[in-house]
Amino acid sequence: MSRTTIHDIAKELNTSPSTVSKALNNHPSISAATKELIKTTAVNLNYRQNRLASSLRSGRTNIIGIMIPSSDIGFFGGVVHGIEKIARSNGYNILLFQSNETGEYEVEGIETLLQTSVDGIIASIAKDTPNLDHFFDVKKRKVPLVLFDRVKDELNSPSVVVDDYKGAFMATEHLIQQGYMNIAHISGPQHIKIFNDRLCGYVDALKMNNLPVNDDLIQYGRNSIESGKFSAERLLGRSKDMDAIFAVEDFTALGALQYLKQAGVKMPEKMGMIGFGNESFSPYVTPSLSTIDQQPARMGEEAFTLFLEAMAKKANGSQNGEVEVAEEEPKKIVLDPVLIVRESSIRTPQG
Amino acid sequence: MSRTTIHDIAKELNTSPSTVSKALNNHPSISAATKELIKTTAVNLNYRQNRLASSLRSGRTNIIGIMIPSSDIGFFGGVVHGIEKIARSNGYNILLFQSNETGEYEVEGIETLLQTSVDGIIASIAKDTPNLDHFFDVKKRKVPLVLFDRVKDELNSPSVVVDDYKGAFMATEHLIQQGYMNIAHISGPQHIKIFNDRLCGYVDALKMNNLPVNDDLIQYGRNSIESGKFSAERLLGRSKDMDAIFAVEDFTALGALQYLKQAGVKMPEKMGMIGFGNESFSPYVTPSLSTIDQQPARMGEEAFTLFLEAMAKKANGSQNGEVEVAEEEPKKIVLDPVLIVRESSIRTPQG
DNA sequence: GTGAAAGCGCTAACAT
DNA sequence: ATGTTAGCGCTTTCAC
């Protein structure tokens, strides 16, 4: 009636549970013959390992915890996809938590993950996390912690992010190469690092190409379609020369696109446009929106790889007795963004 | 050094582990005073329950397994979001698996979920699953199984789907109410039930409104942007009267939209358009695409509620001794689709 | 190469 | 109201 255990198999074969356990785990000290025999019997009896018992005893769960703001956001869905895929191929499974950008849920979730004895945690930090105590707790418990996208340097953890500066630089330079000369930028709130990074990338690309940086062509928005519309209107009113816009993210770009279209500005002939983030709608708007891809799935894979490295390091560390190894600088992976060229930035040959 | 256990707390207070356990679990037989004392000490000693041990002993993990095709697909991301949210508020956590539409991964994942002793499984079946043995296995083990969206009646499990027929009916009737008279339909492969259901909804809406059903206005596509373009071209060539299209899903609608725009057909004045699925791009195309929403988050919540009901039933069942209760018809929830009206289907007052 | 024994940390039946 | 005891199913020394 109830689940078959290794005792049942042992009884069936007149051997011992420990032998069965070893055989099923391919322990070298068991002869090939008995391994074969035990494995067949296991199948016949419909045996299925109880991972709870195994984990309790061995101290490993082969489960890693994921903490993200929301799986409803395309980017995070993509990252989770990447993590789950590579994790599975390495024998790990995924316990998924969403903070919904709420510190409270994040704290709660991390607590639960620790209770579940996950082998590691991969997280992207919620916007409104009041403090990082819960993450420091993770480190205190020696549970490998890897951060991605929303990282915090104070945590001194391995992390993977995309190079925002470089992405902005690439976007701007692409517009320059297409022959646009007066390129505006709609930025976001400057206290958020990535937006400032993107602004710097834009400025440096102009400088590096010997183009003037014009403060009138820089607008600070609030990352929304509405804000994009408003910013585009302002820019258009301020400069007669502007012939392209690099927007800090795709929603802003979309708003700008919509405003300009409605204002009768021909794109991409009279006005080039590029966004950032490769949102799912960007291929389908008119004109289709050029943008910078952040490689979510790749980011997930890299994060998991960092986790594996941390696990390996941990295993080595405990071999070296109790000697507290001086904590080395955690590995920080910076992914290259990918330029996605679509209609909105391809200037057709001038007549 | 290592984790605090209930033994540590017991030793500290000169009491027994079982008392500590009961106190922490709010067992009624423990006095308020000792509960208080034990709980404070637990906090002081930085105690954290070992869920592995607890689950092994109690037979409950408070973890439910989720099996979806991919968290990279917007719809499933939304469902997972809904499940995780309500699950958490009920004390459950989510072990997430992706089949990537592959039967092999699905089988593997279900196996792992059973090994992990999840309390239940919520699944949406992969397209190419060769057979349903792995799901029957779940039922054999008496693990509650709930299906959503991609369901199979043979499994005789509680399930939640959206009413495709009704959604198609609503979409078509909306076009009729907007004054469109010659409404075409681009359908999908008819061996897939939902596409046939949508076709039926379209046909019945016409009939119910005393409009003729014209075979020339029905095109069978393959659910893609390209297919949408092609189908729209065919329809346009075949009928001079056609003034609206209901497309079987949003990508098809988008393709049709793009073709018609390029062909100079004014939308929504000369041609109305509505899709199905509320894909993330649909608000942002031009004209913005009216569509039918499938309420992914809601679907996840309902699925979880069905799981809770199955759990309750299971608990009751075992109370009634070993009497095998005749299996009653599983509850099948059919969600109402939601009509999302956007620009593409609002006929402006005729001049 | 195999088996005996201990125990991971917890819960729950059964005393007291 | 509290404590004793047993054991969930497995892994892992250690002995043979």
Side-chain angles (χ1 to χ4, degrees), chain B residues 185-189 195 218-236 238 245 247-260 273:
Chain B
H185 178 45
I186 306 177
S187 187
F195 301 138
I218 300 176
Q219 183 75 23
Y220 297 91
R222 294 181 328 275
N223 302 356
S224 68
I225 295 177
E226 280 317 309
S227 169
K229 285 183 183 170
F230 176 79
S231 300
E233 185 178 4
R234 287 285 292 270
L235 288 169
L236 206 58
R238 230 190 260 149
I245 298 178
V248 72
E249 46 83 41
D250 280 354
F251 284 97
T252 299
L254 176 61
L257 204 81
Q258 289 177 345
Y259 174 79
L260 293 171
M273 175 80 66

Side-chain angles (χ1 to χ4, degrees), chain B residues 37-314:
Chain B
L37 182 64
I38 286 173
K39 284 180 182 177
T40 338
T41 326
V43 172
N44 289 342
L45 294 183
N46 222 327
Y47 171 76
R48 180 171 285 139
Q49 186 194 44
N50 185 328
R51 286 181 86 198
L52 253 30
S54 168
S55 296
L56 177 60
R57 183 58 242 251
S58 69
R60 300 187 60 208
T61 52
N62 275 36
I63 292 175
I64 58 170
I66 308 287
M67 175 61 74
I68 56 170
S70 171
S71 61
D72 208 13
I73 297 172
F75 172 74
F76 291 110
V79 175
V80 169
H81 177 76
I83 298 176
E84 202 275 336
K85 209 171 157 190
I86 191 174
R88 174 182 50 214
S89 71
N90 282 276
Y92 283 88
N93 306 123
I94 297 306
L95 205 52
L96 179 75
F97 285 78
Q98 300 175 103
S99 65
N100 283 308
E101 303 291 6
T102 306
E104 186 194 338
Y105 290 152
E106 194 173 78
V107 171
E108 214 178 281
I110 294 292
E111 173 66 23
T112 307
L113 286 173
L114 291 177
Q115 289 182 357
T116 314
S117 313
V118 292
D119 289 348
I121 293 177
I122 297 179
S124 198
I125 301 175
K127 271 184 193 150
D128 87 334
T129 291
N131 62 59
L132 298 174
D133 290 355
H134 47 305
F135 287 113
F136 281 115
D137 225 24
V138 172
K139 303 202 72 177
K140 215 176 295 166
R141 298 280 176 171
K142 307 278 183 217
V143 174
L145 172 67
V146 176
L147 302 174
F148 71 90
D149 192 55
R150 311 265 198 85
V151 304
K152 292 273 187 191
D153 284 343
E154 304 97 286
L155 284 171
N156 207 37
S157 288
S159 64
V160 38
V161 293
V162 79
D163 191 334
D164 285 282
Y165 171 86
K166 193 169 184 173
F169 193 99
M170 288 163 68
T172 309
E173 196 152 63
H174 164 67
L175 290 173
I176 296 170
Q177 282 164 359
Q178 286 291 316
Y180 298 106
M181 302 290 289
N182 295 286
I183 302 169
H185 178 45
I186 306 177
S187 187
Q190 292 303 298
H191 68 275
I192 300 185
K193 185 169 178 300
I194 58 175
F195 301 138
N196 184 255
D197 287 351
R198 292 178 196 176
L199 174 60
C200 293
Y202 157 78
V203 167
D204 285 2
L206 292 182
K207 285 182 181 166
M208 215 77 99
N209 286 275
N210 298 315
L211 289 175
V213 177
N214 181 349
D215 274 351
D216 276 357
L217 289 179
I218 300 176
Q219 183 75 23
Y220 297 91
R222 294 181 328 275
N223 302 356
S224 68
I225 295 177
E226 280 317 309
S227 169
K229 285 183 183 170
F230 176 79
S231 300
E233 185 178 4
R234 287 285 292 270
L235 288 169
L236 206 58
R238 230 190 260 149
S239 162
K240 285 289 148 212
D241 300 326
M242 173 175 78
D243 60 1
I245 298 178
F246 161 46
V248 72
E249 46 83 41
D250 280 354
F251 284 97
T252 299
L254 176 61
L257 204 81
Q258 289 177 345
Y259 174 79
L260 293 171
K261 240 160 65 174
Q262 168 247 299
V265 179
K266 278 207 144 191
M267 289 174 290
E269 297 85 351
K270 293 288 170 197
M271 184 78 67
M273 175 80 66
I274 188 165
F276 202 112
N278 198 15
E279 293 289 340
S280 62
F281 63 78
S282 59
Y284 308 126
V285 297
T286 312
S288 59
L289 180 65
S290 295
T291 189
I292 299 292
D293 186 72
Q294 299 179 274
Q295 305 196 74
R298 176 85 190 290
M299 196 174 268
E301 287 165 28
E302 296 290 347
F304 183 80
T305 307
L306 286 180
F307 155 73
L308 280 188
E309 286 174 14
M311 282 294 277
K313 208 167 289 171
K314 198 179 164 188

Side-chain angles (χ1 to χ4, degrees), chain A residues 213-227:
Chain A
V213 176
N214 182 349
D215 274 350
D216 277 355
L217 288 179
I218 300 177
Q219 183 74 23
Y220 298 90
R222 294 181 329 276
N223 302 356
S224 67
I225 294 177
E226 279 318 309
S227 170

